[in-house]
C-alpha cells in the first residue's frame, strides 16, 4: 500500500475535511527516538509481527504517553493469534475488547452504523461481498481496541479488513465504492478521535 495509499489518503482527507495536513507519508520505526513526534500511527500486516525489546518498550511508552495506533490488514485466526501474543507483550495488563458501535470513534465525524469488511484490490474487484475476505473459512470484519485506565482508546484494530487497499485503489472503477467510502470515513473518525481524546 505504501506510499500510494498514504498519499491518496492525505489528499482526500485534506480535500474532504479541509484539514491542514502534511502532504507526504512519514514511515517510522517503533525504535526511532523521534516516535513521539507522531501522535498517530498506522500499522498493517502484523500477522507475523515480532517486536524486539527496544521496539516493544518504545511502543508501550509511546501509547502510554498519549500516542495512538490503528492496526489493519491482517486476517484469520493464525495471524490474529500472533498479533495477540505480541500486543499482550506490550500491554499485559490490558484486554483487547470489542469496540461498541455507540463509541465516539464510530460517530465523531461520520456516522458508522455497521462494521464492513474492506477487501484488497484483488478480492474487491470480484464485485461479490461473499469473496471480500482473505480467510479459508468465514472471517467477519471486527473492530477491537485497547483502552487505558482512564477509558481512552489507545489502539484500534480493524481485523479481517484491508483499509489501506481501499485508500490506495479508491479511484479504480472495479473497487467497490461502498467499501472505499467506509474506509475513508471510518479512518477520518479514527484520526479525529486520536487528536481530540
Amino acid at each position: 500500500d505504501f506510499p500510494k495509499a498514504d498519499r491518496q489518503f492525505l489528499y482526500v482527507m485534506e480535500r474532504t475535511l479541509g484539514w491542514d495536513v502534511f502532504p507526504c507519508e512519514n514511515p517510522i520505526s517503533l525504535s526511532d527516538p523521534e516516535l513521539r513526534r507522531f501522535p498517530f500511527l498506522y500499522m498493517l500486516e502484523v500477522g507475523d509481527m515480532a517486536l524486539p525489546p527496544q521496539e516493544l518498550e518504545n511502543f508501550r511508552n509511546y501509547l502510554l504517553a498519549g500516542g495512538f495506533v490503528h492496526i489493519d490488514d491482517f486476517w484469520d485466526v493464525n495471524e490474529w493469534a500472533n498479533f495477540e501474543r505480541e500486543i499482550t507483550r506490550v500491554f499485559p495488563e490490558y484486554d483487547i475488547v470489542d469496540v461498541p458501535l455507540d463509541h465516539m470513534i464510530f460517530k465523531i465525524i461520520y456516522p458508522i452504523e455497521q462494521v464492513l469488511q474492506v477487501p484488497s484490490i484483488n478480492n474487491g474487484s470480484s464485485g461479490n461481498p461473499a469473496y471480500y475476505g482473505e480467510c479459508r473459512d468465514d472471517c467477519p470484519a471486527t473492530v477491537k481496541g485497547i483502552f487505558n485506565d482512564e477509558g481512552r482508546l489507545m489502539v484500534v484494530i480493524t481485523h479481517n479488513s484491508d483499509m489501506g487497499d481501499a485508500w490506495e485503489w479508491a479511484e479504480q472503477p472495479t473497487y467497490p465504492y461502498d467499501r472505499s467510502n467506509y474506509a475513508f470515513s471510518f479512518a477520518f473518525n479514527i484520526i479525529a478521535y486520536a487528536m481530540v481524546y
Side-chain angles (χ1 to χ4, degrees):
D1 302 330
F2 175 83
K4 185 182 176 207
D6 305 67
R7 292 175 183 174
Q8 289 196 166
F9 179 82
L10 293 168
Y11 176 78
V12 172
M13 184 166 62
E14 184 175 32
R15 292 288 307 247
T16 304
L17 300 176
W19 292 355
D20 183 18
V21 298
F22 188 73
C24 296
E25 65 285 351
N26 289 294
I28 190 164
S29 166
L30 292 177
S31 61
D32 193 310
E34 297 292 307
L35 185 64
R36 287 193 189 185
R37 289 187 53 231
F38 301 93
F40 179 88
L41 301 177
Y42 173 69
M43 296 172 64
L44 66 155
E45 297 184 6
V46 297
D48 59 359
M49 176 173 70
L51 294 173
Q54 183 184 6
E55 288 189 355
L56 190 149
E57 183 179 353
N58 282 5
F59 191 31
R60 176 182 170 83
N61 292 338
Y62 165 82
L63 292 168
L64 290 176
F68 189 96
V69 64
H70 173 197
I71 297 172
D72 184 42
D73 191 12
F74 67 116
W75 301 80
D76 215 336
V77 294
N78 293 329
E79 290 189 1
W80 175 266
N82 182 77
F83 164 73
E84 186 175 34
R85 183 181 65 248
E86 289 299 296
I87 202 70
T88 300
R89 291 176 60 223
V90 176
F91 285 126
E93 73 272 38
Y94 296 127
D95 293 328
I96 300 170
V97 298
D98 290 320
V99 180
L101 279 171
D102 63 353
H103 188 272
M104 184 59 69
I105 207 162
F106 290 107
K107 57 188 174 185
I108 192 166
I109 299 176
Y110 295 103
I112 306 291
E113 297 177 358
Q114 65 176 329
V115 173
L116 297 179
Q117 187 161 66
V118 181
S120 69
I121 181 65
N122 295 329
N123 292 5
S125 295
S126 73
N128 185 344
Y131 299 108
Y132 283 176
E134 295 183 19
C135 309
R136 291 186 183 147
D137 299 316
D138 184 40
C139 58
T142 61
V143 177
K144 297 185 180 291
I146 299 175
F147 293 82
N148 69 11
D149 291 330
E150 290 76 41
R152 176 183 170 268
L153 188 59
M154 303 181 286
V155 178
V156 67
I157 306 154
T158 49
H159 183 231
N160 292 330
S161 273
D162 188 350
M163 292 175 68
D165 257 29
W167 308 330
E168 182 179 13
W169 302 110
E171 82 284 1
Q172 295 297 315
T174 57
Y175 194 85
Y177 171 77
D178 67 325
R179 304 309 159 113
S180 62
N181 186 51
Y182 167 85
F184 279 105
S185 298
F186 189 30
F188 295 161
N189 281 7
I190 293 170
I191 290 173
Y193 177 88
M195 297 299 116
V196 172
Y197 292 95

